[in-house]
Amino acid sequence: MTLFDIHKEFFLPLEYMGDENKNGGLTKNNPRKWTDKEIDWALMLKKRGFNNKQIAKYLYRQPLSVSIKMKRLSKKDSMSYNEPHREDKYLHNELFLSEINPKIVLDLFAGPNSYYEGKVEELYTNDVEPTFNTYYNEKAEKLVCKLYYKGCTYYLIDVDPFGSAYQCFDLCIRMATKGIIITLGEMGHKRFKRLDFVRRCYGINDLNDFTSSNIVSEIIKIGERNKKKLIPIFVKDYRNISRVYFKIEEMKITEQWEG
Ligand SMILES: C[S@@+](CC[C@H](N)C(=O)[O-])C[C@H]1O[C@@H](n2cnc3c(N)ncnc32)[C@H](O)[C@@H]1O
C-alpha cells in the first residue's frame, strides 16, 4: 500500500485543479491557477489541522505556493466566516435567548468578542486563540473535560466551531441544563462529497442522507444516552454550515433497570 492509498481522501480531486499559467520566466515551474474548489479544499485541510507543508503535498503544490496563498486567505477567511449569515445567526441567538432566558452561559468558541457579553448575568467565554481576551484560552475538547470534572453546569452552552465539535457534544449536553446551540461545520464536507466523518460519527452512508435533520436526529440520540431530551427549536441551514438551537429538558426515566 502506498502513501497515496493511505491518505487518498485528502488528495485534491484532479477535476478541481486549475490550468497552468504560462511561465513568465519568474518561476521555475509553470504556476497553476487556484480554482475556488481548490481553495475550499485547502481551507478544509487547514481546519482539519494539517500544516502548509502537508497541504502542499495533498494539493500537488510547492510548500511556498501554499504558504503564500494561505496567508492571503487567512485574513479573508476570518473576516468572511460570519458575513453571509451573521445577521440571521444573531437574530436567532436573540430569539433563543428570550425563549430560554439563560442566566449562566458558556460560550465555548467565543471568537474575539462574545455575542453574549452584556446579555446574560454570568458569562464564561473560551477561545483557543491566545490573543483573544476570553475567560479561558483552551482547546474546547480539553476544557469541557475539566469543567465537567469540576461539576460545572450552565443554563446554555454555545458550541460554535469552524469545523465540527463532535468530541464536545456528550459533556456539553451533560453540563447544559436549559439549552445548547451547536454549529455543524461538518455540513461543509458535503460539497466535497466526503462521507468519512459523518459515516463514523452519525452513521450517514449516502450523500442523499447527508442532511442537517439526520445529524440533528443523531444528536438527539446522544442527548437520550445522557438522559437529556433535546428539542430543536431552530435548525438554520446556511451555506456549508448549519446551526441548531436545542431546548433541553430532563428525561423522565421510567424503566425499572435504569440507574
Ligand atoms: C466560528 S468562530 C466563533 C465565532 C463566534 N462564536 C461568533 O459568533 O462570532 C470559531 C472560533 O473557534 C476558535 N477555535 C478553533 N479551534 C478551537 C478549539 N479547539 N477550542 C476552542 N476554540 C477554538 C477559533 O479561534 C474561532 O475564534
Side-chain angles (χ1 to χ4, degrees), residues 81-82 86 89-90 93 107-113 115 126-129 132 138-141 158 160-162 243:
Y81 159 74
N82 266 324
R86 185 197 297 271
K89 172 183 177 180
Y90 291 160
N93 283 359
D107 191 1
L108 199 53
F109 298 81
N113 302 298
Y115 165 84
N126 176 59
D127 199 286
V128 77
E129 173 54 51
F132 294 171
E138 301 197 35
K139 279 194 166 182
E141 309 75 23
D158 191 331
D160 187 24
F162 281 134
R243 189 160 156 88

Side-chain angles (χ1 to χ4, degrees), residues 32-43:
R32 200 175 79 222
K33 273 191 189 152
W34 285 86
T35 63
D36 287 349
K37 287 239 165 118
E38 184 177 7
I39 291 172
D40 280 354
W41 194 267
L43 292 172

Side-chain angles (χ1 to χ4, degrees), residues 9 23 33 38 62 65 71 74 76 81 84 89 97 106 121 152-153 177 187-188 191 204 206 211 222 229 233 256:
E9 80 262 33
N23 186 344
K33 273 191 189 152
E38 184 177 7
Q62 296 298 320
S65 144
K71 206 166 192 171
S74 64
K76 213 171 146 203
Y81 159 74
K89 172 183 177 180
L97 281 189
L106 173 62
E121 277 177 27
C152 300
T153 59
T177 56
M187 289 304 293
R191 69 191 188 283
I204 293 175
D206 189 299
T211 59
I222 299 176
K229 185 172 177 192
I233 303 294
Q256 187 180 356

Side-chain angles (χ1 to χ4, degrees), residues 14-221:
L14 299 184
E15 65 269 26
Y16 293 177
M17 274 193 187
D19 296 332
E20 283 188 355
N21 286 324
K22 285 256 171 324
N23 186 344
L26 295 172
T27 53
K28 234 181 357 190
N29 306 310
N30 285 345
R32 200 175 79 222
K33 273 191 189 152
W34 285 86
T35 63
D36 287 349
K37 287 239 165 118
E38 184 177 7
I39 291 172
D40 280 354
W41 194 267
L43 292 172
M44 177 273 291
L45 293 170
K46 188 91 193 166
K47 280 172 197 164
R48 289 184 76 114
F50 292 111
N51 62 33
N52 287 345
K53 200 168 159 203
Q54 293 163 319
I55 295 173
K57 183 182 70 184
Y58 293 134
L59 300 183
Y60 313 97
R61 283 186 177 274
Q62 296 298 320
L64 185 63
S65 144
V66 170
S67 55
I68 292 170
K69 190 70 182 172
M70 292 314 255
K71 206 166 192 171
R72 287 190 188 142
L73 286 173
S74 64
K75 274 193 192 150
K76 213 171 146 203
D77 187 49
S78 58
M79 276 167 13
S80 64
Y81 159 74
N82 266 324
E83 284 309 334
H85 66 275
R86 185 197 297 271
E87 223 175 285
D88 194 71
K89 172 183 177 180
Y90 291 160
L91 168 71
H92 284 86
N93 283 359
E94 200 179 318
L95 292 171
F96 194 61
L97 281 189
S98 51
E99 167 88 23
I100 63 167
N101 194 18
K103 292 195 171 45
I104 310 172
V105 171
L106 173 62
D107 191 1
L108 199 53
F109 298 81
N113 302 298
S114 172
Y115 165 84
Y116 299 93
E117 208 70 62
K119 294 188 172 70
V120 294
E121 277 177 27
E122 214 174 308
L123 174 63
Y124 298 91
T125 55
N126 176 59
D127 199 286
V128 77
E129 173 54 51
T131 59
F132 294 171
N133 190 19
T134 40
Y135 189 87
Y136 301 107
N137 273 135
E138 301 197 35
K139 279 194 166 182
E141 309 75 23
K142 288 195 170 174
L143 177 63
V144 291
C145 298
K146 193 160 80 180
L147 298 175
Y148 179 70
Y149 178 74
K150 285 191 347 195
C152 300
T153 59
Y154 307 89
Y155 282 52
L156 171 66
I157 303 183
D158 191 331
V159 185
D160 187 24
F162 281 134
S164 174
Y166 182 82
Q167 278 188 66
C168 302
F169 289 178
D170 270 285
L171 293 181
C172 285
I173 289 170
R174 284 178 185 217
M175 290 192 288
T177 56
K178 290 192 178 300
I180 181 164
I181 309 175
I182 298 180
T183 297
L184 298 171
E186 51 270 62
M187 289 304 293
H189 300 187
K190 195 172 176 179
R191 69 191 188 283
F192 301 126
K193 303 186 174 63
R194 290 183 56 112
L195 287 171
D196 53 323
F197 181 84
V198 290
R199 183 182 291 122
R200 182 162 54 81
C201 295
Y202 307 114
I204 293 175
N205 291 306
D206 189 299
L207 268 182
N208 294 319
D209 297 330
F210 191 162
T211 59
S212 57
S213 69
N214 281 340
I215 294 182
V216 166
S217 304
E218 291 304 312
I219 296 175
I220 290 173
K221 287 186 200 158

Side-chain angles (χ1 to χ4, degrees), residues 173 178 220 223-224 226-232 246-252:
I173 289 170
K178 290 192 178 300
I220 290 173
E224 285 168 3
N226 288 295
K227 299 185 187 167
K228 294 275 174 80
K229 185 172 177 192
L230 264 52
I231 306 159
F246 294 99
K247 200 169 165 174
I248 295 183
E249 288 176 6
E250 284 295 322
M251 264 178 73
K252 293 185 185 61

